[in-house]
């Protein structure tokens, strides 16, 4: 529900739905600082899975997010596999050592949990690559 992202995600101030590309949904997100990034939904199988990617040649990063929802013992597990790159070495340094690599992921998970009234949320980072 792209139009409602700003209601629960503090990283998104505004969204704008754009014309579809090859039948895929496309939208632009504006952050609180006024920066914009365009995304494209690569695939979706509601409510079980969704794949979204950055669709913006001017973005400071490249990325793809694979979302999956699975019921486990009466609970729902949301798993997001992020694959991305920050080509600019300075921005890569800032994200790793100043902002924190997982800051936006944690904010996303915490915000969506709060939106749905969840209190017993466990955020498990993926194992480190070897």
């Amino acid at each position: 529900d792209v139009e409602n992202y700003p209601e629960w995600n503090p990283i998104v101030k505004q969204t704008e739905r754009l014309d579809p590309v090859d039948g895929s949904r496309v939208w632009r997100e504006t952050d609180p600082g006024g920066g914009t990034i365009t995304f494209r939904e690569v695939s979706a199988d509601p409510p079980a899975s969704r794949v979204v990617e950055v669709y913006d040649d001017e973005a400071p990063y490249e990325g793809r997010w694979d979302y999956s929802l699975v019921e486990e013992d009466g609970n729902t597990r949301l798993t997001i596999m992020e694959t991305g790159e920050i080509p600019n070495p300075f921005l890569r340094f800032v994200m790793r050592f100043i902002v924190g690599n997982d800051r936006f992921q944690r904010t996303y998970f915490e915000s969506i949990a709060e939106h749905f009234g969840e209190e017993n949320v466990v955020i498990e980072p993926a194992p480190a690559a070897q």
Side-chain angles (χ1 to χ4, degrees):
D1 190 2
V2 171
E3 287 81 14
N4 290 320
Y5 284 2
E7 290 180 19
W8 59 268
N9 189 343
I11 298 169
V12 180
K13 179 180 177 183
Q14 177 182 342
T15 58
E16 174 188 1
R17 197 173 286 271
L18 304 175
D19 291 333
V21 173
D22 297 328
S24 295
R25 294 183 346 164
V26 178
W27 67 94
R28 180 176 298 121
E29 295 181 5
T30 303
D31 66 37
T36 62
I37 295 185
T38 302
F39 295 91
R40 178 176 81 100
E41 185 176 71
V42 176
S43 66
D45 182 18
S49 67
R50 180 177 190 214
V51 178
V52 172
E53 69 181 4
V54 172
Y55 189 71
D56 189 333
D57 292 337
E58 302 299 317
Y61 57 87
E62 302 163 5
R64 175 186 174 114
W65 296 265
D66 292 71
Y67 299 79
S68 69
L69 292 172
V70 177
E71 185 178 339
E72 291 182 352
D73 302 322
N75 296 305
T76 302
R77 175 183 290 270
L78 167 61
T79 301
I80 304 173
M81 175 62 69
E82 178 181 55
T83 308
E85 182 178 331
I86 303 173
N88 181 305
F90 176 73
L91 291 178
R92 204 167 42 245
F93 174 86
V94 168
M95 284 302 297
R96 182 168 182 192
F97 296 106
I98 297 172
V99 174
N101 282 336
D102 67 345
R103 175 179 169 210
F104 295 109
Q105 294 90 338
R106 288 192 167 281
T107 299
Y108 185 92
F109 275 109
E110 291 165 357
S111 299
I112 200 166
E114 181 179 330
H115 177 72
F116 285 106
E118 296 295 326
E119 296 177 2
N120 298 317
V121 175
V122 177
I123 300 172
E124 300 172 357
Q130 305 242 352

